[in-house]
């Protein structure tokens, strides 16, 4: 019950990592604002979680993020924690990217994280404290074929988070970063299916061979360290990037 009584605002929570964080955070005694571009998916996540609300948000829109954060704050009366995780995957050689496609990648990941900071931090400052975990990736740390704009966006999130963490530390707000390896979610399953010639399990097994633990991760294996970083267990930890990748980046 390490997050008992706390309120979490999370984006991308209709699926994958943020849904797992919303589920675990609720099991740990908190309540969650489940925001996603896909409102039906957000509602599905929230329906199983005691005290949760579902919100529609497009994290590339300043107005939409402002409204979603405002609605969550109005409903719960406070926001203690945040996990801005909305994201997209898109691979191609760099010469095939239009500027519009590139900007979509940057504005979804880096812009979405920036907007969440912009509208959540004043609330946390007024409360004299809060905790945020942002989502980078091993792609922020090592090169991956056809994934340069994603890697750039994720590296941007890493440094944006560290910079802001320093700015708000004296206000009692902690900001940490999680950098997952390959985790089986709605984002990666189509990639595993493609890699496995139509066979999800085969493709996931092939993807897992890239790391010393010889398997891909499951969403709750990210949710557990995220909920630790959001909780008071991590009360002296800020600006830290926790790599959770089955050892992928140590070899
Ligand atoms: N799964 C992995 O292996 C992995 C690894 C490293 C980092 N990540 C990152 O973790 C985060 C979550 O990914 P996931 O694997 O859970 O993916 P997912 O596809 O399962 O979930 C992403 C969610 O984000 C939502 N979304 C997309 N664009 C949005 C927008 N503009 N506004 C609001 N919501 C939007 C989608 O509707 C979806 O529900 C992403 O930032 C991703 O880049 C994932």
């Amino acid at each position: 019950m390490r997050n008992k009584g706390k309120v979490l605002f999370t984006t991308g929570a209709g699926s994958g990592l943020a849904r797992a964080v919303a589920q675990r955070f609720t099991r740990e005694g908190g309540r969650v604002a489940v925001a996603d571009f896909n409102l039906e998916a957000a509602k599905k996540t929230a329906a199983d979680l005691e005290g949760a609300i579902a919100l529609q948000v497009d994290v590339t829109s300043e107005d939409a993020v402002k409204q979603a954060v405002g609605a969550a704050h109005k409903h719960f009366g406070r926001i203690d924690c945040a996990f801005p995780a909305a994201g997209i995957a898109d691979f191609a050689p760099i010469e095939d990217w239009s500027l519009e496609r590139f900007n979509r990648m940057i504005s979804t990941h880096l812009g979405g994280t920036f907007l969440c900071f912009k509208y959540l931090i004043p609330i946390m400052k007024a409360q004299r404290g809060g905790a945020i975990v942002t989502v980078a990736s091993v792609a922020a740390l090592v090169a991956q074929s056809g994934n340069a704009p994603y890697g750039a966006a994720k590296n941007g999130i890493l440094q944006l988070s560290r910079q802001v963490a320093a700015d708000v530390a004296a206000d009692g707000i902690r900001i940490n970063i999680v950098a997952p390896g390959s985790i089986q979610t709605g984002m990666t399953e189509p990639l595993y299916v493609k890699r496995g010639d139509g066979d999800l399990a085969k493709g996931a097994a092939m993807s897992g061979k890239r790391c010393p633990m010889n398997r891909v991760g499951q969403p709750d294996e990210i949710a557990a360290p995220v909920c630790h970083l959001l909780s008071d267990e991590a009360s002296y930890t800020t600006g830290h990037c926790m790599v959770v990748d089955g050892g992928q980046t140590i070899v």
Side-chain angles (χ1 to χ4, degrees):
M1 300 297 275
R2 60 187 169 182
N3 282 305
K4 192 169 168 37
K6 294 202 178 150
V7 171
L8 170 74
F9 177 86
T10 178
T11 66
S15 178
L17 304 187
R19 182 169 59 191
V21 168
Q23 290 167 340
R24 182 175 268 268
F25 195 86
T26 305
R27 288 201 300 277
E28 294 181 357
R31 289 172 299 159
V32 185
V34 175
D36 201 289
F37 186 74
N38 182 340
L39 181 60
E40 285 315 305
K43 281 183 179 166
K44 219 169 156 192
T45 300
D48 297 331
L49 304 179
E50 200 182 331
I53 58 164
L55 298 166
Q56 208 269 335
V57 71
D58 176 356
V59 299
T60 66
S61 156
E62 178 155 6
D63 265 2
V65 173
K66 186 179 175 184
Q67 277 182 29
V69 170
H73 191 214
K74 191 168 172 212
H75 179 84
F76 292 110
R78 57 185 304 110
I79 299 177
D80 306 283
C81 298
F83 184 60
I88 50 171
D90 194 5
F91 298 84
I94 199 69
E95 62 272 26
D96 290 353
W97 285 74
S98 64
L99 182 59
E100 190 188 356
R101 185 176 175 186
F102 178 82
N103 284 342
R104 181 167 169 260
M105 179 61 79
I106 300 294
S107 67
T108 303
H109 289 276
L110 184 53
T113 302
F114 154 70
L115 289 173
C116 286
F117 283 160
K118 177 171 171 174
Y119 289 102
L120 287 161
I121 282 171
I123 294 170
M124 293 180 174
K125 276 188 177 172
Q127 288 172 191
R128 300 293 306 146
I132 302 174
V133 176
T134 61
V135 190
S137 164
V138 292
L141 311 172
V142 295
Q144 293 179 342
S145 177
N147 210 17
Y150 179 86
K154 290 304 194 182
N155 196 276
I157 288 175
L158 178 60
Q159 194 56 6
L160 178 77
S161 304
R162 289 200 281 220
Q163 293 269 358
V164 179
D167 286 343
V168 300
D171 296 296
I173 302 169
R174 297 181 299 101
I175 302 177
N176 291 290
I177 308 104
V178 66
S182 189
I183 313 298
Q184 186 165 348
T185 67
M187 180 176 283
T188 50
E189 282 186 349
L191 307 174
Y192 299 160
V193 168
K194 200 169 160 200
R195 192 165 287 145
D197 285 328
D199 183 335
L200 172 65
K202 185 178 155 202
M206 287 168 74
S207 297
K209 288 206 186 338
R210 293 173 171 191
C211 80
M213 289 187 73
N214 206 27
R215 64 174 179 84
V216 298
Q218 295 302 317
D220 201 47
E221 294 179 292
I222 301 299
V226 168
C227 287
H228 158 72
L229 289 169
L230 291 174
S231 79
D232 293 342
E233 283 178 359
S235 55
Y236 201 53
T237 306
T238 197
H240 174 66
C241 178
M242 187 180 282
V243 179
V244 186
D245 68 348
Q248 188 182 334
T249 50
I250 57 173
V251 290

